[in-house]
Amino acid sequence: MIITIKKLLNKVGIDGAVALTILTRVIQAGGGIISIIFVSRYLSPSEIGYYYTFSSILAIQIFFELGLSGIITQYTAYESAHLKWIDNFELIGEIHYQSRLSSLLIFCVKWFAIIAAILFFALLYGGFTFFSHYGKGLNIEWKGAWITLCLTTSLNLFIDPLLAFFDGLGHVKDMAKIRLVQKTVYIILMFIFFACGLKLYSAALASLIAICVNYAQIIFTNRIKYLKVIWAAKSEWVISYFKEIFPFQWRIALSWISGYFIFQLFNPILFATEGAVVAGQMGMSIAALTGILSISMSWINTKVPFLSNLISKRDYTLLDVSFNRIAFQATGINLLITICFVLVIQVFKLFHVSLAERFLAFIPLICMCLANVINQLIYAFATYLRCHKKEPMLIQSITMGLLVCLSTVVLGRRFGLIGITTSYVFLTCMVALPWTIYLFITRKKAWHHE
């Protein structure tokens, strides 16, 4: 029986790392679904608008992170492919690769320490300015919760690249365990705090404690020994940020910033134009779909070090076979869960379950769901291309960001929610997907025959 289950899991691409990552995402998504119930029960419609608009504004951390975490995973995987760990935490291999790996770690720590501090003050100022202006007359206690979330986001910005570094070392399964513990602690505490009546403070305090648990899992375990050994290995060979990383990163950064306008602009616009209640409905719908996407993306994200290693060794045959299987599995899972999600919401509405009214109406919801499935496929193609340490998605991402931003502001003002969602799914299906497929086919052919 156990052997049969293992064979079935292997067929759908679920290994140890994927299983733990999926479990983390399921807990996160399940917690998100349950949190919707808690949010609906313990927060007023206006507070719900604040709750989800908080998340959208906090997402501006992408302007500070600039896609560097994913790049760190890839560069670490490239260098560590030539190294090996033996007992007593000894790293063996050419000094050249050891030194380059060490320089990457040192850069990572110093860079993100500075950026995290800047992010804290930027979020603090931006949030107070936005909510003080658009939240007048609502009488919502939000300031303390916002300060706590700003601190948590900054702490997370610093530690996330370290987890990405471990991913690149091949510790994908171990990092999945760390993230699993963090998400579990966060969800449990958030529910407790909601039940205690802490309202907007619930998620803020739960996030702060959970991120502290993450730090403890690194500092007070053997994981810190890996970092110390690598830190001490630096010699004359270094990875030059401006010569090697920056030419790749600035393209990734612009692509990710464009992604902010694609995915995070809806809530603030709706909050400002149609009010906190509609923003809350959009927020809940996006939260559910993000949970679905995060589960299906586990198939791709856990394989980035593996795909990068194959590219480093120029084993393109195994690379393509592996990627095609992974992409098919991820997209299929996304589609299946999305269909189930829509059916559940419609059944709830049929039986007049009040929770269903917290989500978007049928047509806007279908538009967002279809775009979510297409985005899974786009993400898979983009990840494959970026594993080559190149970024061909730059122009596509900027164009999509500008088009979605323009359509959200113009059509949102004239046609409201339906204008925002229909234009978004149209642009995703008719512009983003065909463009991405073209880039995938042409760039793969060119790079693999160099």
Side-chain angles (χ1 to χ4, degrees):
M1 182 65 179
I2 295 177
I3 296 177
T4 302
I5 294 175
K6 287 183 176 180
K7 288 182 178 179
L8 179 61
L9 292 176
N10 287 332
K11 283 187 177 181
V12 294
I14 301 179
D15 55 19
V18 173
L20 281 171
T21 304
I22 291 174
L23 181 58
T24 302
R25 302 303 186 187
V26 168
I27 290 176
Q28 182 180 4
I33 293 172
I34 299 174
S35 71
I36 289 173
I37 299 174
F38 276 74
V39 167
S40 300
R41 171 143 171 72
Y42 293 105
L43 298 182
S44 68
S46 293
E47 287 173 330
I48 292 174
Y50 272 89
Y51 181 84
Y52 287 110
T53 305
F54 276 176
S55 299
S56 294
I57 295 179
L58 288 172
I60 68 169
Q61 65 179 293
I62 197 172
F63 290 86
F64 294 81
E65 197 270 343
L66 297 176
L68 193 53
S69 291
I71 295 173
I72 287 170
T73 297
Q74 294 176 31
Y75 273 77
T76 303
Y78 270 79
E79 302 303 324
S80 64
H82 306 278
L83 304 172
K84 183 179 179 181
W85 290 93
I86 60 176
D87 294 338
N88 299 320
F89 297 95
E90 183 179 351
L91 185 62
I92 60 174
E94 292 185 33
I95 298 177
H96 167 79
Y97 294 110
Q98 291 190 36
S99 179
R100 283 172 59 82
L101 186 64
S102 177
S103 70
L104 181 62
L105 174 62
I106 294 171
F107 163 77
C108 175
V109 171
K110 292 181 177 180
W111 176 266
F112 279 99
I114 297 172
I115 295 301
I118 297 174
L119 173 64
F120 173 75
F121 291 105
L123 287 175
L124 204 62
Y125 174 77
F128 269 79
T129 301
F130 180 86
F131 291 110
S132 295
H133 180 73
Y134 291 108
K136 290 180 179 178
L138 292 179
N139 194 28
I140 303 295
E141 176 53 48
W142 58 269
K143 294 180 180 178
W146 179 251
I147 293 172
T148 306
L149 283 171
C150 291
L151 176 60
T152 301
T153 304
S154 300
L155 291 173
N156 185 69
L157 179 64
F158 178 74
I159 198 173
D160 193 56
L162 294 180
L163 302 185
F165 188 86
F166 274 110
D167 281 334
L169 291 176
H171 299 192
V172 179
K173 184 177 179 180
D174 189 40
M175 292 303 102
K177 291 179 181 178
I178 286 183
R179 294 181 177 104
L180 175 60
V181 171
Q182 179 198 3
K183 294 298 181 184
T184 304
V185 169
Y186 166 72
I187 289 170
I188 292 174
L189 289 177
M190 182 176 64
F191 294 161
I192 292 174
F193 293 153
F194 266 128
C196 291
L198 295 184
K199 292 187 173 290
L200 291 176
Y201 283 87
S202 301
L205 292 175
S207 297
L208 180 59
I209 296 172
I211 199 65
C212 290
V213 169
N214 245 15
Y215 276 86
Q217 291 185 91
I218 296 293
I219 297 172
F220 300 112
T221 65
N222 285 332
R223 298 180 182 100
I224 193 68
K225 293 182 180 179
Y226 287 104
L227 298 181
K228 288 180 178 179
V229 170
I230 295 172
W231 187 282
K234 184 180 177 182
S235 58
E236 59 183 291
W237 296 280
V238 299
I239 291 179
S240 171
Y241 171 74
F242 289 104
K243 291 182 180 180
E244 298 182 59
I245 296 179
F246 183 72
F248 180 35
Q249 186 200 358
W250 74 265
R251 293 178 172 86
I252 290 283
L254 288 179
S255 296
W256 280 43
I257 290 171
S258 301
Y260 174 85
F261 292 105
I262 295 174
F263 300 115
Q264 301 296 338
L265 193 62
F266 301 144
N267 270 29
I269 291 294
L270 289 173
F271 188 98
T273 58
E274 298 201 26
V277 175
V278 177
Q281 291 176 336
M282 174 63 83
M284 280 196 167
S285 301
I286 290 179
L289 292 175
T290 300
I292 294 172
L293 189 61
S294 67
I295 291 174
S296 59
M297 280 166 51
S298 301
W299 271 258
I300 304 295
N301 290 337
T302 56
K303 295 298 184 292
V304 168
F306 172 68
L307 298 176
S308 297
N309 272 323
L310 291 178
I311 294 170
S312 178
K313 298 172 182 176
R314 303 184 70 85
D315 190 350
Y316 297 132
T317 300
L318 181 57
L319 171 70
D320 290 339
V321 170
S322 300
F323 172 77
N324 291 339
R325 182 183 68 252
I326 295 166
F328 176 79
Q329 293 165 344
T331 306
I333 290 295
N334 186 289
L335 178 61
L336 177 62
I337 302 177
T338 300
I339 291 174
C340 293
F341 167 68
V342 173
L343 290 176
V344 168
I345 295 299
Q346 298 314 305
V347 169
F348 280 6
K349 289 187 176 181
L350 182 64
F351 289 95
H352 305 289
V353 178
S354 59
L355 176 63
E357 301 306 319
R358 300 293 189 181
F359 291 92
L360 294 172
F362 181 73
I363 292 179
L365 184 62
I366 288 296
C367 290
M368 297 301 293
C369 287
L370 178 57
N372 199 58
V373 175
I374 298 301
N375 281 328
Q376 167 59 61
L377 192 57
I378 292 173
Y379 180 82
F381 289 141
T383 301
Y384 176 96
L385 295 174
R386 287 165 180 161
C387 282
H388 292 76
K389 296 199 295 188
K390 297 180 181 180
E391 174 51 296
M393 302 288 292
L394 175 61
I395 303 300
Q396 186 259 26
S397 298
I398 293 177
T399 303
M400 274 298 296
L402 291 174
L403 289 175
V404 171
C405 180
L406 183 63
S407 66
T408 298
V409 174
V410 175
L411 297 181
R413 182 175 299 174
R414 183 166 183 178
F415 300 104
L417 178 63
I418 195 69
I420 290 176
T421 53
T422 53
S423 62
Y424 173 54
V425 71
F426 175 81
L427 290 171
T428 302
C429 295
M430 303 307 295
V431 178
L433 180 60
W435 198 340
T436 302
I437 293 175
Y438 170 78
L439 290 173
F440 176 77
I441 294 174
T442 56
R443 294 300 188 273
K444 184 177 74 167
K445 182 178 180 180
W447 296 343
H448 292 185
H449 290 83
E450 287 180 348

